[in-house]
Structures are given as structure tokens and as C-alpha cells.
Amino acid sequence: MDSKKKQSPKKERATYSVADEMGGIDLLDADYHRQNFSRHSHEGYTVGVIENGAQQFYRTGGNHVAPQGSIILVNADEVHSGHSASEGGWSYKAMYPLPDQFETISHELAAGLSSNGAPYFPSPVVYDPELASQLRLVFETLEKSDNRLLRETLLYGVMTKLMCKHGKRPTAPQDVSKAQRQLKLVKEFLDDFPSADISLQELANLASFSPYHLVRAFTKEYGFPPHAYQIQARLRLAKQLIRRGHTVSDAAQESGFHDQSHLHRHFKKAMGITPGQFAKQVAR
């Protein structure tokens, strides 16, 4: 046997698409073996079904394992990561509905979450074979059928069932402290001006904190230190620009990355796909 012949690693695959329903919902169909997602967040929820293997991921302050057949739930803007929990990797299908899209449905419900906006999903991993089967049907239908009535009916149905069975009423907001209001100013600046070249001292001045205090308090409140949160904001902007047809190079420059390779590195670690691949799959 030729010792030089080694078993080639399994090829990773990630296909992003956008369903037109409800103003547009991002979808992902992926097979991963070596992918190691850095801690990141999405504007939307993550609702995924593990098709094969198992995934380990961080969410809500701890690590969780989602085996084959289970449903992964990550709330919007919640810090999470992910990597394989089995030797052969894992495959899954997921959708990323926005809070506004859940709110649209919740306001139409006759009971339950009807007046409470988007839900909160407390369990990172859910074992619900019936709902998992319905999610698979939704993914298959959105991929293969152009029957708008069928697509919308199934999507509305599965999102409604997901909220009613596994969602909770959002926690009533407590009185916001002065420190939280100051931290929110920093977050809003980074959200509104992700490409800005701003120093830690300038952000600290905005919040009337010392730089050291800002880093500690911001990390505790939002799950990222300011510089890492800025990367997330820049990734969101880059995704928006690529969707609108901007080149990857222009998106990198306009969103504040040093160059295209800098965007490429962070994009792949957070999205599981390169910005070039993303552009080919979802740009309109």
C-alpha cells in the first residue's frame, strides 16, 4: 500500500439562499467537518435541524451538544459559536427569521404571545420530532416548490408552532440603569457607524467610563468587548452591501475592514462560507 496515499478529507459545503416569503428569510444548507465558528451573533434567530452527526456550540453562557434529529435555537443577537461534536462532522439546515418576522405572526395570534412581540427561546437544544419533521418539510418546500400559497402556509405554520411550543414571553424590561444607558450609547454608535475608525478612549468618553471599565462593562452587557462587537457590526454591513451587488473588495473597504483578506477571514469564521461564495449565492 502506498503510504503517500492518504484518505482525502470530506469536502465541506454551505449553501445560502433567501426565501422571498415575509420580506425575505435567509436559509442555510450545510455539511461541515472542520469548520470552527468563532463567537458571533446574527440579526435574526437561528432555527436549525441537525440532519447528521452532532454539533457542539456555545449559547447562554454554556456549551451544548445538538445530536442528529434535534433542533438548535439561538435568539437574535445572542452570542454563539459552533463546531463538530462527532468525528464525521455534522450537517444541518437552518433558517434565520428576524424578530420583526416573528412579531408579525405573534400579533396575529388569537392568544399566547399575541401582544408581546418576538419570543425568547430559553432552550438551546430542543427534542421535538414532530416539529423537526415539519421544519424539514418547510426547507424542502422552500427549495423545490414555487407554489406561493403552499410555501407561505407551511412557513407561517412552523413559525407559529415554534413560538407556541418553545417560545417564552420576553422578560419584562427592568428599570434601565444610568450605566446601561451609557453602554447603549456605545453600542448604538458601533451599530450606526461600523466602519468608523474610533479609539477605545473615544468610546469611553462617549459613555463617561474609563477605557478599562468600558471593556469590562460592555463585555458583560453584550457578550463581546467593543472591538469584537465592532467586527460583528462590520460583518452585518458587509453582508448587506454584498446582497446589494457590491463587490467583495468594495464591501470590505466600505464596512471598515483593512482589506479583502481581513473580511474573508472574519466572514468565514462567523458564517461558515467565504464572502465570495456568499456573493454568488445570494447577491441580487
Side-chain angles (χ1 to χ4, degrees), residues 133-198:
S133 178
Q134 290 179 355
L135 279 167
R136 291 191 188 95
L137 178 60
V138 167
F139 293 134
E140 181 179 8
T141 302
L142 292 177
E143 178 186 359
K144 298 180 179 179
S145 174
D146 59 1
N147 185 319
R148 292 187 299 166
L149 181 58
L150 175 62
R151 290 163 62 99
E152 290 181 359
T153 299
L154 291 176
L155 183 59
Y156 269 80
V158 81
M159 289 178 67
T160 299
K161 182 166 288 189
L162 184 64
M163 284 193 295
C164 292
K165 292 188 71 175
H166 302 292
K168 300 295 183 184
R169 298 176 186 271
T171 304
Q174 305 295 319
D175 291 337
V176 179
S177 68
K178 179 181 178 181
Q180 288 174 312
R181 289 194 296 270
Q182 292 168 300
L183 290 171
K184 188 176 180 182
L185 287 175
V186 174
K187 178 181 179 295
E188 289 176 343
F189 180 89
L190 295 173
D191 286 334
D192 293 341
F193 305 100
S195 61
D197 181 14
I198 190 168

Side-chain angles (χ1 to χ4, degrees), residues 21-156:
E21 284 67 29
M22 301 183 69
I25 291 184
D26 286 5
L27 304 169
L28 171 65
D29 182 359
D31 292 305
Y32 290 127
H33 304 277
R34 299 172 305 280
Q35 175 66 28
N36 191 349
F37 288 95
S38 60
R39 290 194 182 186
H40 63 284
S41 61
H42 301 290
E43 310 97 306
Y45 294 78
T46 300
V47 180
V49 178
I50 302 294
E51 299 286 59
N52 291 291
Q55 180 188 11
Q56 180 172 317
F57 65 103
Y58 170 90
R59 199 210 101 171
T60 24
N63 292 311
H64 312 275
V65 174
Q68 182 176 349
S70 63
I71 299 171
I72 290 176
L73 296 174
V74 180
N75 297 292
D77 292 322
E78 196 166 33
V79 179
H80 61 288
S81 65
H83 59 85
S84 179
S86 59
E87 184 175 345
W90 83 103
S91 62
Y92 70 120
K93 295 183 178 181
M95 63 179 178
Y96 302 89
L98 298 171
D100 288 350
Q101 292 166 330
F102 269 120
E103 288 175 8
T104 296
I105 295 176
S106 68
H107 290 319
E108 297 172 357
L109 294 177
L113 297 169
S114 57
S115 61
N116 290 277
Y120 175 78
F121 296 109
S123 299
V125 181
V126 166
Y127 301 93
D128 187 331
E130 180 184 3
L131 184 59
S133 178
Q134 290 179 355
L135 279 167
R136 291 191 188 95
L137 178 60
V138 167
F139 293 134
E140 181 179 8
T141 302
L142 292 177
E143 178 186 359
K144 298 180 179 179
S145 174
D146 59 1
N147 185 319
R148 292 187 299 166
L149 181 58
L150 175 62
R151 290 163 62 99
E152 290 181 359
T153 299
L154 291 176
L155 183 59
Y156 269 80

